[in-house]
Amino acid sequence: MFRKKKELQENITKTNIDILVSLLPMLFVAFFIYETTPLLVILSAVGASEAVDIIFSLIIQKNKGTLKDLSGITIGALTGLVLAPFTPLYVAAFAGGTATLFGKAVYRGTDKKIFNPVILGKLFVLTFFPAILAPNSQAWTNSEVLKISGQNMTGLASFILVDRGIIGELSIVAMVIGAIYLIFRTKITWHIPVSFFVTIFFGYYITAAYNINVVTTLGEIIFMGIFVLTDSFTTPRHGLGKVFFGFLAGLSTIIFWFLGIHTEAIIYSVLILNPFTKPINTIFKPNVFGVESVSFAEIIQGIGFAIIVVLIVFATSYLHTYGFIPYIVYIYVVYGIWRLYNNR
């Protein structure tokens, strides 16, 4: 038992190191465009995330291995990268801290988490500081410190550099380099990103046909698909389950677009799907010989899950439209505090 736990911790540590290495190209691009400000945003998120990890996981919960796996740093870095380049530092710290507190510490460890911490961190910012990430917010760009303008970048050049969007999406090339590294290091597989991207691109075609203005950028789609949706322990383990998860994430996002929800579309989609990770693992697990195949019964179960997810998407849309989502977040905060109190 102890040996398995030690091996799990070592695997988590190695994975987090590779994730941090894969993020370096995006950090270089952010510095190249906006100098130190985006890096300070990320460092604020990392610092708060690590501080929360030390206080709650190490000191209160006595989890001595929490600092060795580097999950606090990784969660903070990824949370910082899904924020705007000029997010106030206290908001970035709030995002990083709440991501680790309510995404990891609440569940007493990285391997026990249910919801994606990075997604939770961004949702908390949208809930408690909605003006910061609003489309017209000054947090998205600052011409005074802009070193390279992406306005002159058109066509294929726009894949190299843009000057607006979340920090992680300022260069599609940088994201692709990070993805290649993670695949080469076998820390992610193609299943979730590819199934997500194919579904989303099909959704772009449909929304265009219906004259729906999708504000979610291609860069954000790619960053989320590669670095967020592939999060360990909150997504399925097996190939077919990952494909199914990526497809449902894309389908949910498209439905939200049609229902007029854009900024929160991917966030809601991932959070809706996270609790279904274990059931998806059960349905699409390989047979005793390790061969992945789909039986008729598994197809029926998968269709059933898809119908349930779609119904939850419509219910979430209703709650969003009538302003109930913040109250759900408040309830989750209370629930999280209660769990933290009992996990002492």
Side-chain angles (χ1 to χ4, degrees):
M1 181 69 179
F2 175 76
R3 185 177 179 180
K4 288 184 178 180
K5 186 175 181 181
K6 184 178 180 181
E7 290 178 354
L8 176 63
Q9 185 181 40
E10 289 176 352
N11 289 333
I12 294 173
T13 303
K14 292 177 182 178
T15 298
N16 284 329
I17 290 174
D18 281 329
I19 290 173
L20 292 172
V21 171
S22 73
L23 300 179
L24 291 177
M26 282 152 279
L27 298 182
F28 289 137
V29 170
F31 176 77
F32 185 67
I33 298 176
Y34 285 122
E35 297 184 339
T36 59
T37 305
L39 302 187
L40 291 175
V41 170
I42 296 170
L43 287 175
S44 297
V46 169
S49 175
E50 191 68 2
V52 166
D53 211 15
I54 292 172
I55 294 171
F56 287 91
S57 299
L58 179 62
I59 298 176
I60 296 178
Q61 298 176 358
K62 310 297 183 183
N63 185 356
K64 296 181 180 180
T66 187
L67 300 184
K68 296 180 182 179
D69 66 15
L70 304 177
S71 59
I73 296 175
T74 304
I75 291 172
L78 286 169
T79 303
L81 283 163
V82 299
L83 300 177
F86 296 92
T87 300
L89 300 186
Y90 69 91
V91 176
F94 172 82
T98 53
T100 295
L101 181 61
F102 293 101
K104 175 191 173 183
V106 160
Y107 302 104
R108 297 184 65 88
T110 302
D111 58 318
K112 298 180 180 66
K113 61 189 179 183
I114 296 175
F115 296 104
N116 187 305
V118 177
I119 293 292
L120 284 176
K122 186 161 186 177
L123 177 62
F124 273 65
V125 173
L126 291 171
T127 301
F128 292 95
F129 303 97
I132 297 298
L133 297 182
N136 59 348
S137 170
Q138 295 182 352
W140 290 109
T141 187
N142 188 333
S143 58
E144 294 181 1
V145 299
L146 181 64
K147 294 177 64 176
I148 302 294
S149 175
Q151 292 181 348
N152 298 324
M153 296 286 189
T154 58
L156 292 177
S158 62
F159 285 78
I160 301 174
L161 194 70
V162 295
D163 60 3
R164 186 177 177 85
I166 61 174
I167 299 173
E169 69 163 303
L170 296 178
S171 172
I172 291 178
V173 171
M175 288 186 279
V176 171
I177 292 172
I180 293 172
Y181 175 81
L182 289 176
I183 292 174
F184 175 76
R185 296 287 294 171
T186 66
K187 302 308 178 185
I188 66 171
T189 64
W190 62 268
H191 302 83
I192 290 178
V194 170
S195 58
F196 178 66
F197 295 152
V198 169
T199 308
I200 286 293
F201 293 154
F202 184 69
Y204 272 130
Y205 175 79
I206 297 175
T207 53
Y210 283 87
N211 295 320
I212 296 175
N213 182 28
V214 176
V215 299
T216 308
T217 62
L218 176 63
E220 184 173 357
I221 292 290
I222 293 175
F223 182 85
M224 290 295 190
I226 295 172
F227 299 99
V228 179
L229 267 71
T230 54
D231 174 62
S232 300
F233 306 109
T234 62
T235 54
R237 294 194 303 266
H238 313 300
L240 290 176
K242 290 180 179 181
V243 170
F244 185 63
F245 185 94
F247 164 73
L248 286 182
L251 177 64
S252 301
T253 301
I254 295 168
I255 294 173
F256 278 123
W257 288 347
F258 270 90
L259 297 174
I261 299 173
H262 296 273
T263 303
E264 302 88 351
I266 299 178
I267 294 174
Y268 292 162
S269 297
V270 175
L271 293 178
I272 288 170
L273 286 170
N274 283 159
F276 288 97
T277 295
K278 288 184 178 179
I280 292 175
N281 282 333
T282 301
I283 294 176
F284 294 101
K285 65 181 179 181
N287 60 28
V288 292
F289 300 104
V291 178
E292 294 194 39
S293 59
V294 183
S295 66
F296 179 75
E298 290 171 337
I299 292 174
I300 296 300
Q301 287 178 301
I303 293 173
F305 272 120
I307 293 173
I308 293 172
V309 168
V310 170
L311 291 175
I312 296 175
V313 168
F314 279 100
T316 303
S317 173
Y318 176 86
L319 294 172
H320 174 91
T321 302
Y322 290 95
F324 289 111
I325 295 295
Y327 297 101
I328 295 177
V329 174
Y330 303 151
I331 292 172
Y332 182 76
V333 169
V334 174
Y335 167 75
I337 294 172
W338 176 78
R339 281 190 63 107
L340 289 169
Y341 178 80
N342 287 287
N343 287 341
R344 293 175 298 166

